[in-house]
Amino acid sequence: MIMKPFEESSMTQGLRALARRLMPSHPLYPKILKEVLQAEAGDHGEQFIMRQLEKLSYPLDLKVLHNVAIQKPVPMQLDVVIITSSEVIIVESKNIRGHIQLKMKPRQMIRVLDNGERSIFNHPEIQLEEYVYNLSDFFNRHQVKMNVEGIIIFPFNNASIEYEDGQFPVLVLRELSNYLRQRSSKNPLVDSRKIIQLLLHHHQPFMPFPLCDYYKIDPKYIKQGVICPNCQFDKMRREKFKWLCPQCQHQDVNAHLQALHDYSLLISKQITNQQAQRFLCLPNRHHVKRMLQSTCFRKNGVTSNTVYQILK
C-alpha cells in the first residue's frame, strides 16, 4: 500500500521557476539549468520506482512512502522508504545514463558517456550508509527496535552498470520484485502502523525558499512579467479579463497565478500591491488588488500598505 504517494519535490518546482526567470547573463545560469535537469531526472526515476512498488505493494504486503524528510537529530532526505514484514528498506534512486562503474577502493561512481566524456561522483553507497545509520539512530531514540537496510536502484535501462560488491545491493528496477519477495518471506517483526505514524509525524520537507536568498542572487536579475504557458514569452498583456501573448496569441485567464507562485519561490511569500504591479508588469492597482484578494491571504496592513501571503 502506498502510504505517502509520489509528489514532485518543491525544490524541482523552484529550480524550474528560477531557470525560466533568471537572466541568462547571470553567472549562475548554467549551474541552475544543470540542477533543473538533475532534479527532474531524480523525480522521474523516483516516480517510476513508485509505480512499480504500487503493483507489488498489495501481494507482498508492503507499505511505501515517497520522499521522507527528517530534520532531527540529523537531516536526511530519503527517496523511497519500503516497510516489509520484518524491516525498513531505504531506496537510493540513481537515474543516470552512460557506462557506470561503482568502485570501492576508493568509493567512487564513474560515468562515461557515449562521446567519451568522463565524470566522477560520490559513490551512492556513502550517502546511503549515512541514511541507514541515521534512520536506525532515529528509531532507537524513539524506542523502536527496527532493522534498517538499504538498496541502490537504477530505474531505467539507460545505464550499463559495472560494480564491485559493497555494503548494499545494487539493482536495476526489474530485479526489485524478486528482491522484495525474498525480504518479505521473513517472520513478521514490524508494527508497520507505528513506523508509518512515526515517519509521517516527523516528516518536514526541505524548504530552501526563497531561492534568491538560497543562491545569493540579487532579485534584480529575476525577469518580471507574466510568462506565456504556451510559448514562454515573458511579457503577456492584460486585456479585459484575460492575458494575451503578443507572440503566439495564446489567451489565458489565470496566467498570473504562475507568476505569483514564481515570486513566492524566488523572492518572497509576501507581496504588496505595488510589488505585484511591478512583477506582473500591470500598472493598475485596482486590477492587481482584485487578483491578490482572490488568490492570496490578506496578512496585515490597510489600503496601499496591505501585505498578502501568496498561497500555492
Side-chain angles (χ1 to χ4, degrees), residues 179-246:
Y179 173 84
L180 290 174
R181 286 190 192 98
Q182 295 175 359
R183 308 300 294 191
S184 298
S185 64
K186 296 182 178 181
N187 294 327
L189 297 172
V190 174
D191 183 352
S192 60
R193 292 171 300 177
K194 184 176 182 180
I195 300 301
I196 293 164
Q197 290 172 359
L198 184 63
L199 291 175
L200 292 179
H201 178 72
H202 289 273
H203 171 65
Q204 186 178 346
F206 174 58
M207 303 290 281
F209 305 111
L211 290 186
C212 281
D213 290 349
Y214 183 73
Y215 286 101
K216 295 181 172 55
I217 295 172
D218 191 321
K220 72 181 182 182
Y221 294 104
I222 299 298
K223 291 187 287 187
Q224 300 178 345
V226 174
I227 297 176
C228 175
N230 184 55
C231 73
Q232 300 303 303
F233 183 71
D234 61 359
K235 289 293 184 290
M236 293 188 84
R237 295 197 306 259
R238 185 74 175 176
E239 296 190 359
K240 296 184 179 179
F241 298 103
K242 57 193 173 186
W243 295 93
L244 173 67
C245 176

Side-chain angles (χ1 to χ4, degrees), residues 102-117:
L102 296 174
K103 298 286 189 180
M104 295 306 298
K105 294 183 179 179
R107 289 193 289 185
Q108 293 179 323
M109 180 169 69
I110 302 170
R111 192 266 302 274
V112 181
L113 297 177
D114 291 341
N115 62 6
E117 180 183 341

Side-chain angles (χ1 to χ4, degrees), residues 114-130:
D114 291 341
N115 62 6
E117 180 183 341
R118 188 171 185 266
S119 303
I120 299 176
F121 307 91
N122 288 328
H123 196 300
E125 182 173 284
I126 299 173
Q127 183 68 76
L128 188 54
E129 189 175 63
E130 288 296 308

Side-chain angles (χ1 to χ4, degrees), residues 48-236:
F48 202 69
I49 290 172
M50 290 294 290
R51 286 175 182 167
Q52 180 69 11
L53 288 169
E54 188 171 12
K55 300 174 187 175
L56 298 172
S57 61
Y58 179 74
L60 296 182
D61 191 25
L62 305 174
K63 305 296 187 294
V64 184
L65 299 90
H66 173 252
N67 190 24
V68 177
I70 297 173
Q71 305 301 329
K72 294 179 180 179
V74 178
M76 48 184 157
Q77 185 93 18
L78 311 177
D79 295 344
V80 178
V81 176
I82 303 172
I83 304 171
T84 74
S85 60
S86 57
E87 62 193 353
V88 172
I89 301 171
I90 302 172
V91 177
E92 180 73 5
S93 170
K94 287 297 171 188
N95 182 10
I96 185 170
R97 63 188 177 89
H99 178 69
I100 310 299
Q101 294 178 299
L102 296 174
K103 298 286 189 180
M104 295 306 298
K105 294 183 179 179
R107 289 193 289 185
Q108 293 179 323
M109 180 169 69
I110 302 170
R111 192 266 302 274
V112 181
L113 297 177
D114 291 341
N115 62 6
E117 180 183 341
R118 188 171 185 266
S119 303
I120 299 176
F121 307 91
N122 288 328
H123 196 300
E125 182 173 284
I126 299 173
Q127 183 68 76
L128 188 54
E129 189 175 63
E130 288 296 308
Y131 287 159
V132 169
Y133 176 84
N134 290 330
L135 188 59
S136 299
D137 180 60
F138 171 81
F139 287 139
N140 288 334
R141 288 172 182 264
H142 290 87
Q143 289 79 50
V144 175
K145 290 187 177 181
M146 178 56 50
N147 182 46
V148 180
E149 298 292 339
I151 55 175
I152 299 164
I153 293 185
F154 289 82
F156 300 111
N157 293 324
N158 56 358
S160 63
I161 305 161
E162 177 185 342
Y163 69 94
E164 300 169 0
D165 287 338
Q167 182 178 350
F168 303 108
V170 177
L171 308 175
V172 293
L173 188 58
R174 61 180 176 271
E175 297 177 290
L176 182 59
S177 58
N178 184 57
Y179 173 84
L180 290 174
R181 286 190 192 98
Q182 295 175 359
R183 308 300 294 191
S184 298
S185 64
K186 296 182 178 181
N187 294 327
L189 297 172
V190 174
D191 183 352
S192 60
R193 292 171 300 177
K194 184 176 182 180
I195 300 301
I196 293 164
Q197 290 172 359
L198 184 63
L199 291 175
L200 292 179
H201 178 72
H202 289 273
H203 171 65
Q204 186 178 346
F206 174 58
M207 303 290 281
F209 305 111
L211 290 186
C212 281
D213 290 349
Y214 183 73
Y215 286 101
K216 295 181 172 55
I217 295 172
D218 191 321
K220 72 181 182 182
Y221 294 104
I222 299 298
K223 291 187 287 187
Q224 300 178 345
V226 174
I227 297 176
C228 175
N230 184 55
C231 73
Q232 300 303 303
F233 183 71
D234 61 359
K235 289 293 184 290
M236 293 188 84

Side-chain angles (χ1 to χ4, degrees), residues 265-282:
L265 293 171
L266 304 181
I267 299 173
S268 175
K269 278 192 168 293
Q270 298 181 10
I271 194 168
T272 64
N273 187 302
Q274 190 174 40
Q275 290 168 335
Q277 287 180 56
R278 287 197 300 268
F279 194 74
L280 299 176
C281 298
L282 181 61

